[in-house]
Amino acid sequence: MNQQRDPKLPLLAVLMAGGGGTRLWPLSRPAQPKQFLPLIGGRSLFQLTVARLREILPLENIFVVSNSQLMPMIRSSDAGLPQENLLCEPSPRNTAPAVAYALAVLRTRFPRFVMACLPSDHYIADTKQYLALVQAARSLAGQGYLVTLGIEPTAPATGYGYVEQGDRLDSVDGLPAFRVRRFQEKPTAEEAKTMLAQGGFSWNSGMFFWRSDVLEEEFRTQQPAIAQALERMAGLLERKDGEATWKAVWETMPVLSLDYGILEASDRVAVLPARGLGWTDIGSWDALVELYQAHPELRGDAPGGVIDVGSQSVTVIRKTDSRRHLATVGLRDVIIVETDDAILICQRGKSQDVRKIAGML
Amino acid sequence: MNQQRDPKLPLLAVLMAGGGGTRLWPLSRPAQPKQFLPLIGGRSLFQLTVARLREILPLENIFVVSNSQLMPMIRSSDAGLPQENLLCEPSPRNTAPAVAYALAVLRTRFPRFVMACLPSDHYIADTKQYLALVQAARSLAGQGYLVTLGIEPTAPATGYGYVEQGDRLDSVDGLPAFRVRRFQEKPTAEEAKTMLAQGGFSWNSGMFFWRSDVLEEEFRTQQPAIAQALERMAGLLERKDGEATWKAVWETMPVLSLDYGILEASDRVAVLPARGLGWTDIGSWDALVELYQAHPELRGDAPGGVIDVGSQSVTVIRKTDSRRHLATVGLRDVIIVETDDAILICQRGKSQDVRKIAGML
C-alpha cells in the first residue's frame, strides 16, 4: 500500500442517483425517487448535494451515475452539470458495477485521482464541517485507504449499517481517523443497544473516498469479473460503435454493492467519524418530520387547504396550492401525505412500514 | 282534557326533513343533510323512516315538511310519497311553525286525527318494537296526552335532552307509560351521570304524538301568535292566489321549537320509555361507526382503494368506486371520511368537534 500523501491528485465526485426508494411513498415513486423530491425548502437533496460540492469542486469534477428513466430529471434540474458528466446505467446492478463504470469513464479524462463516491439523497446540515471532512477523507484516501465517513450514533438505530473502529490512525487535518475493524449490517435493536453502550461504532453513511488506482487494485483482487468488465468497457467507451457492446459487457457484471463486494473484505479501510454533522438519510417520513420539527425553516411553504381542531403533532405534506379541504380532528402524532393520486395517513413511529404499502400496490 | 279512548282516529305521520346538519361533515352539507345520505346499506335514514311507517300506514297518511332546497331530493327518492303530501316551508323557523303549518294543511283533509311528528334522520334497529310503540303512543295521544317516545339511556350521554318520568299511568298495550315531570336540556357530564344513577329518566327522542284538537288547544293557550297564524294560513291555503299571503303569514311566526314552545310548559305530557329499540340519532361519526361495528351488515359495500398496514379500528368512508389510493399505517381508532372535495381524519371519541370544522369553512 502506498501510504505517502499525494495532495495534488484531483478530487472527482461520483453521485449515486439511480435509487428508487419506496420509503417516502406516495411522494417518492420509481419515476420520482427521494433524491429529486423538493423536500428541503423547495429544493431537492440532489440539488443540495451538488450545491455542497460546488463549494470546493468545479462542475467538471462532479459526475452522476443514474438510469435513463431519471436522466431527464437530472438534466432539467438547475444543478448545471455538463452533459458528458451524466453516466447512464443500462440497467440496475447496484453500486459496485456503477462505480466500475464511473471509473472506466473517469480514467479516460484523468490519469489518477481521488474518487468521492456519494449518495445524493442524504441531508447534511453543517456544510462547513462536511467539507472539512471531505478534505480530510481526500487526504486519507490519498494515502491509499478506502475511506468511509462514519456518523456518530445518537440512538440505537436499526435502519443503518454500523462500522466498528479499530486501531487509531494519525489525525488528518486535526480530525481523528481509525482503521475499520468490521462492518455490521443493519443490527437488531439488541445489537444496536450493545454497540451504542460499548462505543467505537459509527453509522455507515455510504460516503466513500478512494484513489483510482487503489480501487482498481481492489476490483482486480476481490472482484476479477468486474475488473475484467471494467477493462473491456474502457476500450469500448472510446469507440463510437461501442455502445451496444459495452451494454452487453455491463450485463456480465454481478449485481453487487460496494460494501459487500469491496469494503467488507478489504484490509485497508479507514473511517473518519463525524459528530454533529446534522446528517440524516431521510429514510422514512418519521425522519423527515423530525428534521422539520428541529428546523422549521427547512419545510418551505405551508400546505394548502388544511384545517384542524384539537390535534397535536400532526404534519401534513401536500401541495401548497391544494384547495380541497383536509380537516384533522383530535389526532395525535400523525403524518399525512397527499399527492394527486394517493393519500397516506401514518402514525408517527410506524413509517418504516410505508414500504410495505408500496410493495402491495 | 278528554281522556277517553278514540281508537278510530286516523294516524297521520309528519316527517321533519328540513334539517341541515354539519355533524357528519364532509358527507353532510346544507344541500345534502344527514337524512338523505346513503348511510345504511346504501339507503337513507329518510327512506328507512318512510319504509317503517309504510308497514302500518298508507302513503296518503305520510307527510313531509322540508324546504325548497331539499324538495327535489325528496321527490327523487324512491319513497313514493304523493306530491300533495310534501309541505314546503318558505324559510326555516324551527319545528313549532313547521308543525302548525302541517296542522293547517292536514285539517283541510282530515277533520280529526292523531299526528305523529317524527324526525327523519334517526336509525331504529327494531322495527317491530317501534311499531308497537307507535300504536301505544297513538292510543295514549287519543286519550288527550302529548306523548313523547323516551329512549332508556345506556350511557350518561350529554348530546341528548332528557325527560324525567312522573306518576305512572295505566299501561298501554302492555307498555309502561308515565306523566312527564320535567324536561332537561342537554346536560353536563355530571348531571347526566346523576340522572343515570337516579333512574327514571329517558333521552328525548323528538318523536311526538298528539291529537289534532289537543295540539290546536296547546297552540291557542301557549302560543297564541302561532295559533292565529295557523288560522290565517288555513284560510289562505285553500285559495289559489293565497300563496304569497301565506308566506307573509309564515314569517310572522316566532322561530321556536316544539319542545320549548309547547311541551316543556304543558301539564299533559306523557312519556313511553322504550328499551332495546336500537335507536340512534347518528349525531356524530362516532355514533355511525359504533353502529357499523355493532351491525357490520349495515355498512354496505366496502370503500374502494383502501390499503392498510398494522392499523386497529380504522373506519374509512368513501365511495366504493374510489380508485385513488388511501393508505393507513399504524393508526388506532381513527375515522376517515372522504368526498370529492374534502377529507376528514378524526380521532374516535372526538367527532363532536367536526361541527367546528364546518363552522370554520
Side-chain angles (χ1 to χ4, degrees):
Chain A
M1 184 183 343
N2 176 1
Q3 292 244 7
Q4 65 190 99
R5 289 209 178 207
D6 196 347
K8 288 192 183 133
L9 284 182
L11 176 66
L12 306 182
V14 177
L15 306 185
M16 301 286 133
T22 56
R23 296 184 294 180
L24 296 191
W25 182 91
L27 215 54
S28 68
R29 301 291 173 95
Q32 174 121 344
K34 186 177 68 174
Q35 60 270 26
F36 299 116
L37 300 175
L39 297 177
I40 306 293
R43 303 189 72 192
S44 73
L45 296 166
F46 176 81
Q47 288 173 310
L48 293 174
T49 302
V50 173
R52 273 195 301 275
L53 293 166
R54 285 296 313 275
E55 307 239 339
I56 53 167
L57 293 181
L59 280 173
E60 292 71 34
N61 287 29
I62 304 173
F63 295 78
V64 181
V65 183
S66 188
N67 59 53
S68 57
Q69 190 180 18
L70 301 179
M71 276 302 167
M73 217 172 295
I74 295 170
R75 282 196 204 100
S76 68
S77 83
D78 62 1
L81 296 167
Q83 175 64 30
E84 64 272 20
N85 283 21
L86 310 184
L87 312 183
C88 188
E89 302 170 314
S91 65
R93 300 197 83 75
N94 211 329
T95 48
V99 165
Y101 167 33
L103 186 59
V105 173
L106 271 56
R107 281 199 329 192
T108 64
R109 307 191 204 169
F110 299 83
R112 200 155 168 264
F113 53 90
V114 168
M115 178 197 286
C117 175
L118 304 170
S120 62
D121 62 346
H122 293 180
Y123 176 73
I124 289 165
D126 189 339
T127 298
K128 196 175 162 197
Q129 191 193 348
Y130 168 76
L131 295 174
L133 278 161
V134 167
Q135 296 291 21
R138 175 189 193 170
S139 297
L140 202 54
Q143 294 172 34
Y145 288 102
L146 303 170
V147 182
T148 176
L149 293 192
I151 309 292
E152 289 218 358
T154 51
T158 58
Y160 305 130
Y162 285 68
V163 181
E164 185 178 4
Q165 298 165 11
D167 296 336
R168 180 149 190 163
L169 300 171
D170 291 342
S171 295
V172 191
D173 303 342
L175 296 170
F178 300 86
R179 278 187 176 275
V180 167
R181 177 168 294 146
R182 71 178 175 99
F183 286 87
Q184 157 82 50
E185 303 240 353
K186 291 177 183 178
T188 64
E190 200 58 38
E191 290 168 337
K193 276 180 202 161
T194 306
M195 288 188 284
L196 206 65
Q198 189 182 327
F201 285 87
S202 302
W203 291 332
N204 182 1
S205 71
M207 296 187 271
F208 305 124
F209 297 76
W210 35 55
R211 231 168 49 203
S212 49
D213 59 310
V214 170
L215 179 61
E216 266 182 59
E217 198 178 302
E218 290 288 341
F219 275 133
R220 274 198 303 276
T221 54
Q222 291 200 65
Q223 301 296 339
I226 292 180
Q228 197 176 19
L230 194 161
E231 294 307 325
R232 289 179 63 200
M233 277 194 292
L236 289 163
L237 285 167
E238 297 195 328
R239 283 167 45 185
K240 282 204 168 166
D241 61 347
E243 186 163 9
T245 316
W246 97 252
K247 285 184 179 173
V249 173
W250 171 266
E251 302 296 342
T252 68
M253 288 193 281
V255 175
L256 193 69
S257 74
L258 283 166
D259 299 64
Y260 190 76
I262 297 289
L263 291 158
E264 293 189 8
S266 172
D267 60 359
R268 49 177 164 178
V269 186
V271 59
L272 281 169
R275 180 184 292 174
L277 194 56
W279 172 90
T280 167
D281 73 346
I282 311 185
S284 67
W285 286 115
D286 278 298
L288 185 64
V289 168
E290 278 164 30
L291 182 63
Y292 284 164
Q293 292 195 330
H295 303 283
E297 72 279 8
L298 299 180
R299 261 214 81 166
D301 295 332
V306 177
I307 338 167
D308 176 69
V309 177
S311 297
Q312 283 177 48
S313 190
V314 167
T315 303
V316 178
I317 293 171
R318 68 187 328 213
K319 288 181 186 162
T320 54
D321 60 354
S322 293
R323 299 178 67 180
R324 194 163 164 266
H325 300 299
L326 189 159
T328 49
V329 176
L331 298 178
R332 197 169 181 138
D333 298 328
V334 172
I335 301 167
I336 300 164
V337 185
E338 192 184 32
T339 63
D340 287 339
D341 64 352
I343 182 160
L344 166 72
I345 308 162
C346 180
Q347 193 67 34
R348 280 190 70 177
K350 299 288 182 185
S351 67
Q352 77 282 0
D353 286 340
V354 167
R355 69 178 77 188
K356 294 181 190 167
I357 297 283
M360 288 158 83
L361 295 175
Chain B
M1 184 181 346
N2 174 0
Q3 290 243 9
Q4 65 191 100
R5 287 209 180 205
D6 196 348
K8 288 195 186 131
L9 285 182
L11 177 66
L12 305 184
V14 176
L15 307 185
M16 301 284 132
T22 55
R23 297 184 295 179
L24 296 190
W25 183 92
L27 216 53
S28 69
R29 303 290 175 96
Q32 173 123 345
K34 187 178 67 170
Q35 59 269 29
F36 300 116
L37 300 174
L39 297 177
I40 306 294
R43 303 190 72 194
S44 72
L45 296 166
F46 177 79
Q47 287 173 311
L48 293 174
T49 301
V50 174
R52 270 196 303 274
L53 293 167
R54 285 295 314 274
E55 307 239 340
I56 52 167
L57 292 181
L59 280 172
E60 292 71 32
N61 288 28
I62 305 173
F63 294 77
V64 181
V65 182
S66 188
N67 59 53
S68 58
Q69 190 180 21
L70 301 178
M71 276 300 167
M73 219 171 296
I74 293 169
R75 283 196 203 98
S76 68
S77 82
D78 62 2
L81 295 168
Q83 175 65 29
E84 63 273 21
N85 284 19
L86 310 184
L87 312 184
C88 188
E89 303 170 315
S91 65
R93 301 198 84 75
N94 210 331
T95 49
V99 165
Y101 168 34
L103 185 59
V105 174
L106 271 54
R107 281 198 327 190
T108 65
R109 305 191 206 169
F110 299 83
R112 199 152 166 266
F113 52 90
V114 169
M115 180 197 286
C117 175
L118 305 169
S120 61
D121 62 345
H122 293 180
Y123 177 73
I124 289 166
D126 189 338
T127 298
K128 198 176 159 195
Q129 193 194 345
Y130 168 75
L131 295 175
L133 279 160
V134 167
Q135 296 291 21
R138 177 189 192 170
S139 297
L140 202 54
Q143 294 173 33
Y145 288 103
L146 304 171
V147 182
T148 175
L149 293 192
I151 308 292
E152 288 219 356
T154 51
T158 57
Y160 304 129
Y162 285 67
V163 181
E164 185 178 2
Q165 297 163 13
D167 295 337
R168 181 149 187 165
L169 299 172
D170 291 342
S171 296
V172 191
D173 303 343
L175 296 169
F178 301 85
R179 279 188 176 274
V180 168
R181 177 167 296 143
R182 70 176 176 102
F183 286 86
Q184 156 82 49
E185 304 240 353
K186 292 178 184 180
T188 64
E190 199 58 40
E191 291 167 336
K193 276 181 203 161
T194 304
M195 287 188 283
L196 206 66
Q198 189 182 326
F201 285 88
S202 302
W203 292 330
N204 183 1
S205 70
M207 296 187 274
F208 305 125
F209 298 75
W210 35 56
R211 231 170 48 204
S212 50
D213 59 309
V214 171
L215 180 61
E216 268 183 57
E217 197 179 304
E218 290 287 339
F219 275 132
R220 274 199 302 274
T221 53
Q222 293 200 62
Q223 303 295 338
I226 292 181
Q228 196 177 22
L230 195 160
E231 295 307 325
R232 289 180 61 200
M233 277 194 289
L236 290 162
L237 285 166
E238 296 193 333
R239 283 167 46 185
K240 282 204 169 167
D241 61 345
E243 186 163 10
T245 316
W246 98 250
K247 285 185 181 172
V249 173
W250 171 267
E251 303 295 343
T252 67
M253 288 193 279
V255 175
L256 193 67
S257 75
L258 284 166
D259 300 64
Y260 190 76
I262 298 289
L263 291 158
E264 293 188 9
S266 172
D267 60 359
R268 49 179 162 178
V269 186
V271 59
L272 280 170
R275 180 185 291 174
L277 195 57
W279 172 90
T280 168
D281 73 345
I282 312 184
S284 67
W285 286 115
D286 279 296
L288 185 64
V289 168
E290 276 163 34
L291 181 64
Y292 284 164
Q293 292 195 330
H295 303 284
E297 72 280 7
L298 300 181
R299 260 213 82 165
D301 296 331
V306 177
I307 340 167
D308 176 68
V309 177
S311 297
Q312 282 177 50
S313 190
V314 167
T315 302
V316 177
I317 292 171
R318 69 187 329 211
K319 289 182 185 161
T320 55
D321 60 353
S322 292
R323 298 178 68 179
R324 193 161 166 267
H325 300 301
L326 189 158
T328 49
V329 177
L331 298 178
R332 195 167 183 141
D333 297 328
V334 172
I335 300 167
I336 300 164
V337 185
E338 192 184 33
T339 63
D340 287 341
D341 64 351
I343 183 162
L344 165 73
I345 307 162
C346 179
Q347 193 68 35
R348 280 190 69 178
K350 299 288 182 186
S351 66
Q352 76 280 3
D353 286 341
V354 167
R355 72 179 76 189
K356 294 183 191 165
I357 296 285
M360 288 158 85
L361 294 175

